[in-house]
Amino acid sequence: MVLSCKFRRGVTPAHQNLLHELHGAAGDARMKELPTPTFDLSPRALPRGSLHSQTGFAPCPLVAPEPAKGIEVAWARHLDEVREAQRLRHEVFAGEMGAILSNAVPGHDVDLFDDFCEHLLVRDAESRQVIGTYRVLTPAQARRVGSTYSDTEFDLTRLRTVRERMVELGRSCVHRDHRHGGVIMALWGALAEFMVRNQLDVMIGCASIPMNWQGPQGLVGGGHAAASIWRQVREKHLASIEFHVRPRLPLPIEQLDDTLDVEPPALIKGYLRLGAKVLGPPAWDPDFNAADLPMMMRIADLPSRYRRHFLGA
């Protein structure tokens, strides 16, 4: 996905400070994994296609941060709303990034996981346009479809002990005219509430680095940036061995220059500051022409400052 951290009216100074710390220098990144669900998940406001029980619902005392002014966050409740998300995804992934997508529905990014996911929509409150979207695959729905998207890129055998508490976040993107901090803060706050309310505590996904990475240091092509970023994150952010996974189509690290001083995409830096861990070396995704890092974030690993902001704890 392509997200940037430009601040606009409606983002408070506190949000600006937090975003600056999370992201560092502004930059673009695609993360087909860590997206983010909605605010009021109650028996009256269950997402489309949800398998969450409507009885015995345990109220959660946390209060999610308010989204920036002019932004609304909600779950898609019918196919027309899902189609809006898929059109935006096609516009960003195919139109901006040149990804090779299925043409099952022309002008839409559609895959087999969509029918099993819950789709988060971020709208501009005035125009009602969908300006951001994320999809969430819950453990129950992953069992129904038979796997997660990440399973198609990585051998996730070592994650079997956490699958019952694990959601997969993916296909996240934001419209080019709305890539500012307010959207990101709203999404992360919504995701935190979703996880706690549903008694889930592990998030996984594929954090993507374009093979031709345009970072602060300029354009670095041929996958050398991805190899160098893998070297950096492996040294400080590698998960413990019991969570290591293996790529099914590995990026050929040994054939690439991994000594370059390049910065990771801004969104990857943000997730690392939130306590996320990298689970192993990157896979190559030829359809998106990107290297995908397997990442995992656990609620228990959220640093205290962000725990207070997103969870009020």
Side-chain angles (χ1 to χ4, degrees):
M1 72 186 173
V2 186
L3 297 178
S4 66
C5 301
K6 299 176 182 176
F7 301 117
R8 297 186 180 180
R9 187 166 49 192
V11 183
T12 67
H15 282 173
Q16 292 186 5
N17 292 337
L18 193 64
L19 280 159
H20 179 76
E21 181 175 339
L22 283 170
H23 290 276
D28 290 340
R30 177 177 68 91
M31 181 163 302
K32 296 182 305 182
E33 55 4 58
L34 285 76
T36 5
T38 193
F39 287 94
D40 185 16
L41 188 62
S42 70
R44 296 181 182 178
L46 288 168
R48 166 192 164 274
S50 173
L51 295 183
H52 302 305
S53 171
Q54 298 194 35
T55 60
F57 189 85
C60 180
L62 73 87
V63 177
E66 288 294 325
K69 292 180 180 179
I71 294 173
E72 296 180 2
V73 187
W75 294 102
R77 298 179 181 277
H78 49 73
L79 182 58
D80 287 348
E81 291 184 333
V82 175
R83 287 286 187 253
E84 291 183 82
Q86 293 168 338
R87 285 195 294 272
L88 176 61
R89 283 161 34 182
H90 188 276
E91 178 181 340
V92 173
F93 297 146
E96 295 185 33
M97 301 174 57
I100 302 171
L101 302 174
S102 165
N103 199 35
V105 181
H108 296 70
D109 169 35
V110 181
D111 74 2
L112 67 87
F113 292 95
D114 277 333
D115 286 344
F116 296 87
C117 289
E118 302 182 17
H119 298 260
L120 180 68
L121 306 180
V122 184
R123 293 185 185 274
D124 179 274
E126 182 176 352
S127 69
R128 310 304 303 159
Q129 178 187 15
V130 172
I131 59 174
T133 183
Y134 301 78
R135 74 179 186 189
V136 181
L137 185 65
T138 64
Q141 294 291 67
R143 287 194 298 273
R144 290 186 65 190
V145 70
S147 75
T148 65
Y149 178 88
S150 298
D151 280 295
T152 69
E153 293 204 27
F154 298 93
D155 179 350
L156 303 184
T157 300
R158 291 189 176 181
L159 301 187
R160 60 185 178 274
T161 60
V162 299
R163 280 189 184 265
E164 290 303 308
R165 312 188 316 275
M166 180 183 87
V167 301
E168 182 185 52
L169 309 173
R171 278 306 203 266
S172 58
C173 63
V174 174
H175 189 279
R176 71 171 73 206
D177 295 335
H178 297 272
R179 290 169 189 163
H180 57 84
V183 174
I184 297 171
M185 297 296 285
L187 295 173
W188 285 353
L191 174 59
E193 184 176 21
F194 174 88
M195 296 292 292
V196 173
R197 283 186 178 274
N198 289 276
Q199 299 180 342
L200 302 165
D201 61 5
V202 178
M203 294 160 277
I204 67 161
C206 304
S208 298
I209 306 165
M211 295 294 281
N212 295 311
W213 168 230
Q214 181 70 52
Q217 296 86 0
L219 179 66
V220 180
H224 303 295
S228 299
I229 291 168
W230 158 239
R231 174 185 53 80
Q232 296 172 34
V233 299
R234 179 184 61 203
E235 293 172 356
K236 295 183 178 180
H237 303 283
L238 187 63
S240 55
I241 192 169
E242 65 264 31
F243 296 120
H244 285 187
V245 306
R246 293 181 302 162
R248 300 189 186 280
L249 181 59
L251 185 72
I253 300 292
E254 66 283 352
Q255 301 176 27
L256 300 171
D257 182 0
D258 68 354
T259 65
L260 304 180
D261 183 19
V262 294
E263 289 189 15
L267 202 58
I268 291 181
K269 291 193 294 184
Y271 281 115
L272 293 175
R273 291 190 177 103
L274 287 174
K277 298 294 185 182
V278 178
L279 305 181
W284 178 45
D285 180 348
D287 289 341
F288 282 85
N289 195 30
D292 286 345
L293 281 174
M295 298 190 75
M296 177 175 72
M297 187 187 305
R298 298 187 294 184
I299 295 294
D301 294 334
L302 197 64
S304 58
R305 180 183 181 188
Y306 306 123
R307 181 180 294 273
R308 288 193 301 270
H309 180 82
F310 292 119
L311 303 179

